[in-house]
Amino acid sequence: MTPQENTSTNTNPVRILVVDDHPNTATTLARALSQLGSGVNVISASSGHDALEKVKTNGVDILFTDMIMPEMTGLELIEKMQNHPAGRPSYTYLVTAYDVPGLKVTAHRLKVNEVIVKPVRPERICQIATNAIEEMKHSTHPIKQSAVARKKFKILVADDRPDNITLLTRYLEYEGYEHIAARDGLETLDKVRAELPDLVLLDVNMPHKDGFAVLEDIRSDPSVQHIPVIILTAARLDPSDVQSGLNLGADDYVTKPFDRHELMARIRTKLRVKETEDIIRRRNRELNLLPEIGKELSARTDIKDLANILIKRTVETLGAIQGNMIIFDANGGPGQNYQVPLSTESSSGLMTIPKNIIRHIEETHQGLIIADAHNNSLWQLDNHDSNIHSAVISPLFGRMELLGLLVLTHEQVNYFNTDHLLLLQAITSQAAIAIENARLYAITMQEQKRLAAVLKHAAEAILVFDAQGKLSLLNPEGEKLFTDFNANINQVLPHDHGYDAFIHMLDDARTSNGAKSGDITWPDQRTFNALITPIEDGGQVVILHDVTRFKDLEQVKNEFIATASHDLKNPITTIAGFSTLLEQAGPLNPQQKDFVSRIQSATHNMAELVQNMMSLAQMDLDATQKHEAIEMQSLLAEIANEFIPQAKIKNQKLSFSPLEKSAAISGDPLQLRQLMRNLLGNALKYTPNDGAITFKAEASDSQLLVEVQDTGCGIPAADLPFIFNRFYRVRGGRNNEVEGNGLGLAIVKSIVEHHGGQVNVESEIDKGTRFTLLLPLSRLES
């Protein structure tokens, strides 16, 4: 309904809309307003959307709306109601708990009649509505209160004598104060609660309720208890009465007759104090606003939603015409730019912040106030809007870097002040945390999607166990492994179902808190290579790779090599034998002798190669593994004595340090002899004439340590990781002068591992090599 429709001849009921997100509050206010008479139609709503739905066909005359509501604030509702098809409300009132800087300016820009600060009693709402209804009856234009006009203090004079009221109000008018009057105690209380004066001049002797009782009621009411009261009376001049009045909460006690100049000085003093206290109360309300905004920001994980909420709340709070938030990209340049104007008419397009402003904020780590945008060296924008005359810029500093900037603009010069900037920086400090959390959330969600895709499409079975051994995650391939029972999350794998070896491997890895790998046989007789890796919370990640096909192929390969090696031994032995008999068949010339020597050397190398291949194949097949107690003291001495003659041929010194006590190993004696022969044979081959080889052994309570040290040509560091690989040979230098097939050290490693031990190597070029064996003892005899 437009103002022009509100004439004195209008008989339609006055429609009042009350909006509050607390249903009890809305209902209470609606019930109180309904008591104004039959000519009033009151509608209550619990949100902005609910209000628009209830009045979508008919407009309203008076609108009371709360500021803070979900999804739509009171200012947004007012703007929408001003564009209502049935006409804008004649009177609009905004109720808020936060009297923050700029809110009244923003409300005035939207033509709000009054901003009412909580707590507010239903009686005051009814008084405001009554005044509006009376105004509508006698005028075609509602009274608009200017939120930006210079504040004039309003003083209530409470006295039952009209001549006293006339005298006091004349003095107040001369000093430039507004005034209202009350002639008894009940009227005084009603006007204090309805008008919220800045100060009360209170007489003591009044009808219905005396001044002391009125003062006591004022001080017990949270909505008005902050109003200063000066008792001004010609009665009760006894010091005890003065003390009683001050004890009840009077700010001053003036007796009649009074000196006019003294009274005005006292009034000015109390008003200055109240003005300071009002600022403190406003600051407290601003501080209360921060958790409210922080709660809204923390509830959002999308940066766009977060930016819109942040800009909207700060624009409304500080009374700006427009807000822009620039989020920098990973390289520190402007990335995303968000804008929320107060209204569609005030939008001036996306803003580009100059680099010198960004540089200034990065250096100072402080926000910036642009008092006059048209005359500021930092504020040089290509898309400068002539409507922008001042701005405030607050940085969004994260933990490590500048995340972006929040910019609010206004159409007045010198609008923003330090209070605005401090409040804005407090808000943006919370927003920076929310932005970083939103970014982390987005990264986490992206990584979760990637992980889900990897788990879904991985060819290997992937299982994750927690610190208690319970299954916490498995991918589709992992689900396929369990066909005899349902592998449920948060349950352990059952024993006696064929998984005991796997469970034992998991327990071993958990005990050692390290990675572990090995082959396991599944209940369906498939072979898996299991890689177990610990994770930070004490759990484990397991990757099971099906190697059944490769194991079958390896079995076939080993059987073929074993058979072929065995079958090759006969022709090689025949060649070696007949080459030896050639000299007995008749005399050979020198060339023939050379040919026979080459044949014998080749057959020897072939026999050695075949023997090594057959040994490896048999160990892979576990065909010749024996388990018997072997006394190592005699075995090591036997091997040392076997190589002493060979060392003497090359004028090498072979020193042997035997065990100080007996030590036994459970294993295969033939393999252990081959192990020692390979190590000593290599040492002799790669050590030049006149070199030295050290062969020693030591026994602890549980292990046998064997070392073979030479002074040979050494092994390059780049080759060390590969020397135990099959058919790998070190090339270059004097290593090329030594013949070999690259299987000797592979056999050493295989034998050591078959006996549950470890082999390590250390080497330095031109200084020699040291091989160290660690073998577990079966028992230690004295």
Side-chain angles (χ1 to χ4, degrees):
M1 184 178 297
T2 61
Q4 285 74 11
E5 292 173 322
N6 298 326
T7 63
S8 58
T9 58
N10 189 359
T11 59
N12 293 328
V14 176
R15 290 170 57 84
I16 303 177
L17 174 61
V18 180
V19 188
D20 197 296
D21 65 333
H22 292 86
N24 292 339
T25 303
T27 303
T28 301
L29 292 177
R31 187 182 298 116
L33 290 169
S34 298
Q35 304 302 316
L36 296 180
S38 57
V40 175
N41 182 10
V42 182
I43 306 160
S44 64
S46 58
S47 68
H49 292 298
D50 183 30
L52 293 174
E53 181 65 26
K54 288 184 176 180
V55 299
K56 63 181 180 180
T57 55
N58 295 307
V60 295
D61 299 290
I62 303 173
L63 169 64
F64 290 94
T65 178
D66 195 20
M67 174 62 186
I68 305 300
M69 296 186 294
E71 299 180 356
M72 183 186 300
T73 66
L75 288 175
E76 290 176 311
L77 174 62
I78 290 170
E79 184 176 7
K80 291 182 182 295
M81 289 295 295
Q82 288 175 346
N83 298 317
H84 196 282
R88 58 182 299 244
S90 300
Y91 293 83
T92 303
Y93 302 95
L94 181 68
V95 182
T96 178
Y98 308 110
D99 185 17
V100 294
L103 182 59
K104 290 183 178 180
V105 177
T106 304
H108 175 67
R109 193 181 287 118
L110 290 176
K111 298 179 175 59
V112 174
N113 293 81
E114 186 177 353
V115 176
I116 306 169
V117 180
K118 295 180 181 179
V120 57
R121 299 172 62 89
E123 293 86 348
R124 187 181 177 210
I125 296 294
C126 291
Q127 184 62 51
I128 292 171
T130 300
N131 294 340
I133 293 171
E134 288 299 317
E135 178 65 27
M136 289 169 60
K137 290 179 180 179
H138 300 94
S139 175
T140 59
H141 299 286
I143 298 175
K144 300 287 190 299
Q145 296 184 8
S146 173
V148 295
R150 184 178 180 275
K151 178 177 176 61
K152 292 183 68 174
F153 291 106
K154 182 194 300 182
I155 298 177
L156 170 62
V157 179
D159 200 306
D160 60 336
R161 296 176 61 86
D163 53 342
N164 287 342
I165 293 177
T166 301
L167 178 63
L168 287 170
T169 54
R170 187 178 303 143
Y171 290 163
L172 294 175
E173 287 177 357
Y174 181 81
E175 295 290 334
Y177 299 124
E178 293 183 3
H179 57 80
I180 50 178
R183 289 171 176 78
D184 60 57
L186 293 179
E187 185 184 8
T188 300
L189 281 175
D190 289 340
K191 290 196 173 181
V192 166
R193 290 164 177 164
E195 300 288 344
L196 292 178
D198 296 294
L199 184 141
V200 177
L201 294 176
L202 182 63
D203 190 20
V204 174
N205 291 336
M206 292 189 297
H208 305 305
K209 226 174 197 184
D210 67 19
F212 286 162
V214 171
L215 176 60
E216 189 173 4
D217 287 345
I218 290 175
R219 291 296 178 247
S220 63
D221 188 339
S223 64
V224 296
Q225 63 184 193
H226 63 282
I227 298 175
V229 176
I230 297 177
I231 293 179
L232 185 63
T233 181
R236 302 196 184 185
L237 305 180
D238 188 85
S240 61
D241 292 324
V242 176
Q243 183 178 359
S244 297
L246 295 175
N247 288 338
L248 287 172
D251 295 272
D252 206 346
Y253 203 107
V254 178
T255 60
K256 301 176 182 177
F258 55 83
D259 180 80
R260 169 190 168 187
H261 298 290
E262 180 185 352
L263 176 62
M264 291 301 109
R266 290 174 183 261
I267 290 175
R268 283 193 294 271
T269 299
K270 301 308 174 186
L271 289 175
R272 280 197 300 270
V273 172
K274 179 183 182 296
E275 194 169 27
T276 302
E277 291 176 346
D278 285 345
I279 292 173
I280 295 173
R281 277 191 292 273
R282 190 195 71 200
R283 295 270 175 86
N284 289 335
R285 286 192 289 267
E286 292 171 6
L287 293 176
N288 292 333
L289 175 65
L290 294 178
E292 187 76 28
I293 294 178
K295 183 179 178 181
E296 286 194 55
L297 296 177
S298 63
R300 287 166 171 78
T301 56
D302 181 77
I303 291 184
K304 183 178 180 181
D305 291 342
L306 193 150
N308 288 336
I309 286 295
L310 177 63
I311 300 172
K312 182 173 66 176
R313 292 302 302 272
T314 53
V315 165
E316 294 171 350
T317 300
L318 300 187
I321 61 170
Q322 182 174 306
N324 284 78
M325 190 166 87
I326 295 93
I327 301 295
F328 297 151
D329 57 24
N331 298 322
Q336 298 163 301
N337 194 330
Y338 303 98
Q339 179 199 87
V340 175
L342 178 66
S343 62
T344 54
E345 292 81 5
S346 62
S347 176
S348 61
L350 293 177
M351 184 180 297
T352 303
I353 300 300
K355 291 183 178 179
N356 53 346
I357 285 185
I358 299 175
R359 189 162 49 249
H360 174 82
I361 289 177
E362 285 179 331
E363 292 173 354
T364 62
H365 276 241
Q366 295 293 326
L368 185 65
I369 297 174
I370 305 295
D372 187 353
H374 292 181
N375 296 288
N376 188 287
S377 59
L378 292 175
W379 190 266
Q380 300 296 328
L381 301 184
D382 295 335
N383 57 341
H384 200 293
D385 189 343
S386 59
N387 292 326
I388 295 176
H389 288 82
S390 61
V392 59
I393 306 169
S394 180
L396 294 151
F397 276 107
R399 296 174 180 86
M400 303 296 293
E401 59 185 352
L402 180 63
L403 304 177
L405 300 173
L406 179 62
V407 184
L408 302 184
T409 57
H410 199 272
E411 71 270 29
Q412 295 179 10
V413 175
N414 294 316
Y415 174 77
F416 296 105
N417 55 42
T418 304
D419 288 343
H420 292 137
L421 179 60
L422 292 175
L423 178 60
L424 191 62
Q425 288 186 154
I427 295 173
T428 52
S429 64
Q430 297 187 56
I433 297 173
I435 290 172
E436 284 195 327
N437 290 341
R439 284 182 170 178
L440 290 174
Y441 177 80
I443 292 172
T444 302
M445 293 302 297
Q446 186 177 11
E447 292 300 321
Q448 285 183 349
K449 291 178 181 179
R450 290 178 180 175
L451 177 60
V454 170
L455 293 176
K456 181 178 180 180
H457 300 289
E460 290 83 7
I462 301 175
L463 299 84
V464 180
F465 295 88
D466 62 17
Q468 287 73 42
K470 297 179 181 179
L471 190 64
S472 59
L473 184 147
L474 74 166
N475 68 339
E477 289 299 320
E479 294 176 357
K480 295 177 184 178
L481 291 179
F482 303 97
T483 57
D484 55 338
F485 81 102
N486 292 326
N488 295 323
I489 301 298
N490 296 325
Q491 290 187 1
V492 298
L493 296 181
H495 288 277
D496 302 325
H497 279 66
Y499 308 108
D500 291 355
F502 181 47
I503 295 172
H504 181 69
M505 183 183 291
L506 289 171
D507 292 340
D508 286 347
R510 190 178 298 110
T511 302
S512 64
N513 194 29
K516 191 176 183 64
S517 63
D519 293 342
I520 57 170
T521 303
W522 214 247
D524 59 7
Q525 299 307 307
R526 285 185 294 169
T527 302
F528 290 91
N529 179 262
L531 175 61
I532 304 174
T533 306
I535 52 181
E536 290 183 358
D537 61 357
Q540 298 165 302
V541 177
V542 183
I543 300 176
L544 295 174
H545 180 60
D546 190 347
V547 294
T548 306
R549 178 171 174 270
F550 301 104
K551 285 292 183 181
D552 292 342
L553 291 174
E554 188 176 8
Q555 179 82 3
V556 173
K557 179 207 72 174
N558 290 333
E559 290 175 355
F560 169 76
I561 291 175
T563 302
S565 300
H566 183 272
D567 291 342
L568 284 171
K569 290 179 68 176
N570 289 332
I572 292 173
T573 302
T574 301
I575 294 171
F578 280 108
S579 65
T580 304
L581 293 174
L582 282 175
E583 290 184 313
Q584 299 177 12
L588 301 176
N589 60 39
Q591 188 178 32
Q592 290 171 334
K593 288 181 179 181
D594 179 57
F595 290 163
V596 169
S597 176
R598 291 174 183 268
I599 291 172
Q600 289 175 343
S601 177
T603 53
H604 174 75
N605 290 338
M606 288 182 65
E608 184 181 357
L609 175 61
V610 169
Q611 180 60 42
N612 287 340
M613 291 178 61
M614 187 166 63
S615 298
L616 282 172
Q618 288 174 342
M619 280 186 283
D620 289 342
L621 292 169
D622 290 331
T624 60
Q625 184 71 41
K626 298 178 181 179
H627 292 281
E628 60 182 71
I630 304 164
E631 209 292 307
M632 293 301 294
Q633 191 173 31
S634 59
L635 186 146
L636 293 173
E638 174 189 333
I639 299 300
N641 292 331
E642 181 181 327
F643 280 88
I644 288 176
Q646 299 181 35
K648 288 181 178 180
I649 295 174
K650 297 181 66 176
N651 200 26
Q652 295 171 336
K653 181 181 179 182
L654 174 59
S655 58
F656 171 60
S657 300
L659 289 166
E660 295 180 356
K661 54 185 177 181
S662 297
I665 286 179
S666 175
D668 188 323
L670 293 177
Q671 289 187 1
L672 290 173
R673 283 185 174 87
Q674 186 177 9
L675 165 63
M676 303 304 170
R677 287 191 181 107
N678 284 5
L679 286 178
L680 279 176
N682 267 6
L684 266 66
K685 280 197 300 184
Y686 288 98
T687 300
N689 295 346
D690 302 321
I693 297 99
T694 302
F695 183 32
K696 67 178 182 179
E698 296 177 2
S700 65
D701 291 339
S702 59
Q703 286 184 321
L704 174 67
L705 170 67
V706 179
E707 285 189 4
V708 178
Q709 172 95 43
D710 64 50
T711 58
C713 56
I715 304 170
D719 292 298
L720 283 176
F722 310 105
I723 61 171
F724 293 108
N725 293 352
R726 300 182 183 189
F727 299 104
Y728 186 85
R729 293 206 62 209
V730 177
R731 302 295 179 184
R734 286 184 290 171
N735 291 294
N736 292 336
E737 301 172 5
V738 181
E739 294 185 356
N741 50 48
L743 290 176
L745 290 179
I747 292 173
V748 168
K749 185 173 186 291
S750 183
I751 293 174
V752 170
E753 290 179 347
H754 273 74
H755 286 78
Q758 296 178 352
V759 57
N760 297 299
V761 60
E762 300 173 21
S763 186
E764 192 172 349
I765 296 296
D766 296 330
K767 290 188 178 181
T769 303
R770 178 173 64 183
F771 285 90
T772 304
L773 303 179
L774 286 173
L775 296 169
L777 295 176
S778 59
R779 69 176 184 276
L780 190 64
E781 298 177 355
S782 58

